Amino acid sequence: LWFRIFYSSFGNKTSFFHKKYIYSFIMFPENYFIYIQLIMFYFITPGPPRVVIVSNTINHGLRKSVWTAIGDISANFVQATLVTFVIGSLLIDNPSIFIYFKWAGVLYLLYLAYETFSQKIQKANVGYKNLKSNLAMFRDGFVVAGLSPKALVFFGTIFISFINFDKNVISQFLILIFTWMSLDFLSL
């Protein structure tokens, strides 16, 4: 199965990686600074993961909300990996799939809003502080970031344009994603 996925992404001449417009940027060194500027702008625009992190910080404290931030960054790593190496061709060939990701994200945000609202009522009635586990905090960050259409669009359009698929794809990917993860965590 993995061989078929790998072959369909890399071996197929009509796949996402063989499109000529993907090769428009040569990554290093001048475009790396452009990439940093773009992601810093991306980080200052709020999105659903930031709202969840702020909400968890207010409700559960800074130490617990770090797990939400780690979940957010982990989901971004998974998204970047999948978009770069697998899903990119799927999204280009079927743009309507993006709508399903967007609605899944909306439904999960509504679930989180309900959960937050019910916790506040429960706290007021019972009078004790309901703390979530670290795993639940991680899950909230991972799922919200994983279903965020903002991140999916970024990784599917801008992120991959900074990778030169003619040379050293994995090392370029690792440099870009670790830059992303470091600056994302520091900006939270």
Side-chain angles (χ1 to χ4, degrees):
L1 178 65
W2 285 107
F3 178 75
R4 286 180 42 194
I5 292 171
F6 182 82
Y7 180 76
S8 68
S9 295
F10 292 103
N12 184 359
K13 294 297 180 190
T14 62
S15 76
F16 173 72
F17 296 106
H18 292 84
K19 306 273 186 202
K20 292 297 178 193
Y21 60 86
I22 295 300
Y23 304 132
S24 62
F25 288 114
I26 296 174
M27 186 184 142
F28 288 104
E30 62 275 353
N31 289 329
Y32 181 69
F33 296 112
I34 295 170
Y35 171 74
I36 290 173
Q37 291 173 350
L38 279 171
I39 64 174
M40 291 307 288
F41 178 73
Y42 177 87
F43 294 150
I44 64 171
T45 56
R50 305 270 185 213
V51 172
V52 170
I53 290 169
V54 168
S55 172
N56 284 343
T57 302
I58 291 170
N59 291 327
H60 304 287
L62 183 60
R63 287 187 181 181
K64 285 283 201 181
S65 67
V66 168
W67 287 101
T68 308
I70 293 171
D72 170 42
I73 292 169
S74 300
N76 289 334
F77 180 79
V78 170
Q79 281 179 324
T81 304
L82 290 175
V83 166
T84 303
F85 297 111
V86 179
I87 299 178
S89 59
L90 179 68
L91 289 176
I92 285 177
D93 294 341
N94 304 312
S96 61
I97 292 175
F98 179 69
I99 294 171
Y100 296 115
F101 279 113
K102 185 166 56 171
W103 280 107
V106 166
L107 292 174
Y108 191 72
L109 285 175
L110 289 173
Y111 164 74
L112 286 177
Y114 171 76
E115 185 180 67
T116 301
F117 180 70
S118 66
Q119 280 181 351
K120 291 198 182 288
I121 291 173
Q122 188 179 32
K123 284 182 196 175
N125 290 338
V126 178
Y128 69 94
K129 191 170 185 179
N130 183 11
L131 291 178
K132 288 174 133 180
S133 69
N134 291 342
L135 183 61
M137 301 291 273
F138 178 86
R139 181 202 64 214
D140 288 349
F142 188 87
V143 172
V144 169
L147 295 175
S148 173
K150 181 179 164 187
L152 193 60
V153 167
F154 177 83
F155 289 122
T157 57
I158 297 171
F159 182 81
I160 58 171
S161 66
F162 284 95
I163 297 176
N164 181 1
F165 286 97
D166 288 333
K167 310 175 194 176
N168 250 348
V169 175
I170 293 176
S171 64
Q172 293 176 68
F173 170 78
L174 290 174
I175 290 169
L176 290 176
I177 195 62
F178 285 123
T179 301
W180 168 279
M181 292 168 60
S182 302
L183 292 176
D184 190 16
F185 188 78
L186 290 174
S187 69
L188 296 173

